[in-house]
Amino acid sequence: IVIGSVGSLVKRKRFDDLIKAVSYISSQFTVHSSRIKSIIIGEGPERESLQREINKNKLNDRVILTGFKSDAISYINAMDIFVLLSEREGLPRVILEAMLMKKPVVAANIAGPTELVADGKTGYLIPLGKFEDAASAVAKLVISPALRKEMGMNGYHRVIKEFTIDNYIQGVEKIFEEIQGQ
């Protein structure tokens, strides 16, 4: 089972929480932990710190920092579960991409991801900084291929239905109309 994320390796992305979640799964859910690999796609100033966290938790055989990849979407397609535990986001396109690739998403319950992820339907929203909760959500998905597939399909249909270019244009037009009406 491949658990992964994509983004700049900066503190606000909290990739260390993903590493801690993988470590927590390894210690608490040992039956399933041998089936888990994690990849983090991206480059940035936190790379050395993240590698130290991987080393400290003895996860060199489970967590891979791939560096920057121009075809990140191919890596997302290879994932079974997409995780984004950032403390601050706009509208994270990478979650939309993961949902289009039919991947269930585990994300921090903050603005941005809450606009995209339907908690319990397309994935799980977890409290910010609670890597144990992220680990539990991931473990539920690892244990159940049917749940992964169902949430992945729900996410795909949500993106296709609710996040079309037409909906975006209508939203922008509505904002302009409200501004003009003032």
Side-chain angles (χ1 to χ4, degrees):
I1 305 295
V2 179
I3 304 158
S5 196
V6 177
S8 296
L9 304 185
V10 295
K11 283 187 190 257
R12 74 177 175 81
K13 293 289 189 176
R14 300 184 70 97
F15 288 116
D16 58 325
D17 282 351
L18 174 55
I19 295 165
K20 290 174 188 171
V22 172
S23 178
Y24 189 79
I25 291 168
S26 295
S27 67
Q28 299 297 312
F29 305 97
T30 53
V31 173
H32 304 286
S33 67
S34 64
R35 298 173 50 203
I36 295 171
K37 298 285 183 192
S38 182
I39 56 174
I40 300 172
I41 294 100
E43 195 57 67
E46 288 296 302
R47 184 182 179 97
E48 287 181 25
S49 173
L50 295 171
Q51 187 60 59
R52 282 193 299 275
E53 188 72 26
I54 291 166
N55 296 343
K56 179 179 98 176
N57 288 288
K58 298 180 173 88
L59 295 171
N60 290 322
D61 61 333
R62 294 197 199 279
V63 180
I64 301 163
L65 301 175
T66 68
F68 173 79
K69 299 293 179 188
S70 61
D71 62 339
I73 197 80
S74 297
Y75 285 82
I76 293 171
N77 195 35
M79 295 174 191
D80 296 290
I81 302 164
F82 185 82
V83 178
L84 188 68
L85 303 175
S86 303
E87 64 188 47
R88 199 173 59 248
E89 285 289 338
L91 188 73
R93 188 184 76 208
V94 69
I95 288 180
L96 288 173
E97 292 169 349
M99 291 167 74
L100 277 171
M101 305 305 294
K102 302 177 183 166
K103 308 305 172 186
V105 176
V106 175
N109 190 3
I110 61 166
T114 59
E115 306 290 321
L116 306 175
V117 178
D119 191 35
K121 286 193 60 114
T122 66
Y124 295 107
L125 293 168
I126 56 113
L128 180 63
K130 299 288 186 179
F131 69 85
E132 301 94 342
D133 291 0
S136 294
V138 167
K140 286 179 196 173
L141 292 164
V142 167
I143 291 165
S144 177
L147 183 61
R148 284 195 311 272
K149 184 175 182 176
E150 177 186 341
M151 287 186 164
M153 287 303 296
N154 289 343
Y156 173 79
H157 291 298
R158 180 173 167 85
V159 172
I160 295 298
K161 181 180 176 190
E162 297 179 31
F163 296 93
T164 65
I165 192 67
D166 289 338
N167 287 350
Y168 173 77
I169 291 168
Q170 288 173 2
V172 171
E173 286 174 343
K174 183 178 177 187
I175 290 169
F176 282 141
E177 287 170 5
E178 289 173 3
I179 292 171
Q180 290 173 344
Q182 291 180 358

